[in-house]
């Protein structure tokens, strides 16, 4: 799966100071966008199923409709999206630097960070089966190796949704997940990578049609940085 784009918007600083907690500065990352393509997953599944001896020898691709002449199969196809690098501390003078200047200029004065909202927004979808459960993973290096399982930390899950679902799916945090993401935002160098992993069920007894379709998904993260005003000067 190919990542499309990622941008971020730093919202205006509030003029209210929360009871000793500092001035709240809200950060919104709202364009972590990618396509979840079952077409690509099924295209790449042929060799995996052949190795599991679930397809006739010489099969080049899965049939659109599972033939009655073949025995039914039940198989879980694992997938992951391409990692998307995020750099909230770009070099001074770069095109991206101004977006995060309020946070980076006052980084020594940040007292705490609070994740306000983290959702997966399904914007468009023609996926023919239920949207699978997705696990959100974060790495503390923007160029983390996608094949190094030790580099990735699972922070939460998005529940599955019915075929054709359009809307928001709230993240359900795993133990330690919110603290891990807070730590990434709290580092002096706020560089990380995000991806999703999941499984698609192939059950020809239940559905003889090959799962198809593409979903346009967007991850939205809103966090508040509480800055001590006097130390930020």
């Amino acid at each position: 799966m190919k990542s499309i784009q990622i941008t971020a918007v730093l919202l205006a600083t509030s003029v209210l100071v929360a009871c000793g907690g500092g001035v709240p500065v809200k950060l919104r990352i709202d364009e972590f966008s990618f396509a979840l393509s079952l077409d690509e997953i099924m295209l790449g599944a042929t060799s995996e199923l052949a190795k599991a001896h679930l397809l006739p020898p010489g099969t080049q691709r899965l049939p659109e409709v599972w033939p009655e002449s073949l025995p039914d199969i039940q198989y879980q196809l694992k997938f992951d999206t391409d990692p998307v690098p995020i750099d909230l501390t770009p070099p001074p003078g770069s095109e991206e630097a101004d977006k995060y200047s309020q946070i980076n200029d006052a980084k020594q004065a940040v007292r705490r960070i609070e994740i306000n909202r983290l959702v997966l927004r399904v914007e468009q979808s023609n996926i023919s089966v239920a949207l699978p459960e997705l696990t959100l993973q974060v790495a503390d290096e923007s160029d983390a190796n996608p094949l190094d399982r030790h580099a990735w930390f699972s922070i939460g899950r998005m529940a599955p949704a019915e075929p054709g679902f359009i809307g928001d799916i709230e993240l359900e945090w795993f133990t330690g997940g919110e603290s891990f993401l807070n730590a990434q935002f709290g580092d002096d160098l706020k560089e990380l990578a995000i991806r999703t992993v999941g499984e698609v069920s192939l059950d020809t007894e239940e559905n003889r049609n090959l799962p198809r379709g593409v979903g346009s998904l967007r991850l939205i993260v809103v966090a508040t940085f509480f800055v001590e005003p006097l130390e930020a000067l």
Side-chain angles (χ1 to χ4, degrees), residues 36 38 122-131 161-167 212-217:
L36 175 60
L38 294 193
V122 183
E123 298 185 311
Q124 295 180 342
S125 176
N126 62 357
I127 294 176
S128 62
V129 296
L131 184 72
E162 294 300 315
F165 173 83
I166 302 294
R212 306 295 291 179
V214 178
S216 176
L217 312 177

Side-chain angles (χ1 to χ4, degrees), residues 5-199:
Q5 62 179 338
I6 179 167
T7 60
V9 178
L10 186 61
L11 303 184
T13 304
S14 169
V15 298
L16 299 176
V17 178
C19 303
V23 175
V25 178
K26 187 167 288 187
L27 178 74
R28 177 184 174 97
I29 302 173
D30 64 358
E31 291 191 13
F32 166 33
S33 300
F34 59 96
L36 175 60
S37 174
L38 294 193
D39 298 340
E40 290 186 15
I41 294 172
M42 293 302 149
L43 185 63
T46 304
S47 59
E48 182 177 339
L49 294 172
K51 290 177 182 178
H53 306 291
L54 296 174
L55 296 177
T59 301
Q60 298 299 312
R61 60 183 302 160
L62 294 175
E64 294 293 329
V65 179
W66 193 255
E68 296 285 351
S69 58
L70 293 178
D72 288 320
I73 62 173
Q74 291 82 35
Y75 200 79
Q76 294 295 114
L77 296 165
K78 296 182 179 181
F79 65 88
D80 57 72
T81 58
D82 291 339
V84 174
I86 301 175
D87 184 2
L88 304 184
T89 50
S94 68
E95 293 182 1
E96 301 296 309
D98 288 345
K99 291 182 180 180
Y100 316 108
S101 60
Q102 288 174 283
I103 292 297
N104 292 319
D105 291 348
K107 63 185 178 181
Q108 301 301 327
V110 173
R111 287 290 163 261
R112 64 186 176 91
I113 301 170
E114 181 179 290
I115 304 295
N116 306 116
R117 190 168 188 242
L118 201 160
V119 302
L120 183 70
R121 176 164 294 171
V122 183
E123 298 185 311
Q124 295 180 342
S125 176
N126 62 357
I127 294 176
S128 62
V129 296
L131 184 72
E133 175 181 312
L134 297 173
T135 296
L136 184 64
Q137 293 188 331
V138 176
D140 61 6
E141 299 290 341
S142 59
D143 58 351
N145 184 350
L147 301 179
D148 181 5
R149 62 185 182 87
H150 298 292
W152 296 90
F153 186 81
S154 297
I155 66 171
R157 65 181 284 274
M158 280 84 169
E162 294 300 315
F165 173 83
I166 302 294
D168 291 351
I169 304 175
E170 296 283 343
L171 180 80
E172 298 175 20
W173 294 100
F174 293 151
T175 301
E178 189 169 6
S179 297
F180 184 86
L181 189 57
N182 278 342
Q184 302 309 306
F185 286 159
D187 282 348
D188 286 346
L189 290 177
K190 299 175 180 62
E191 298 178 0
L192 60 151
I194 294 179
R195 71 176 182 182
T196 58
V197 300
E199 293 184 351

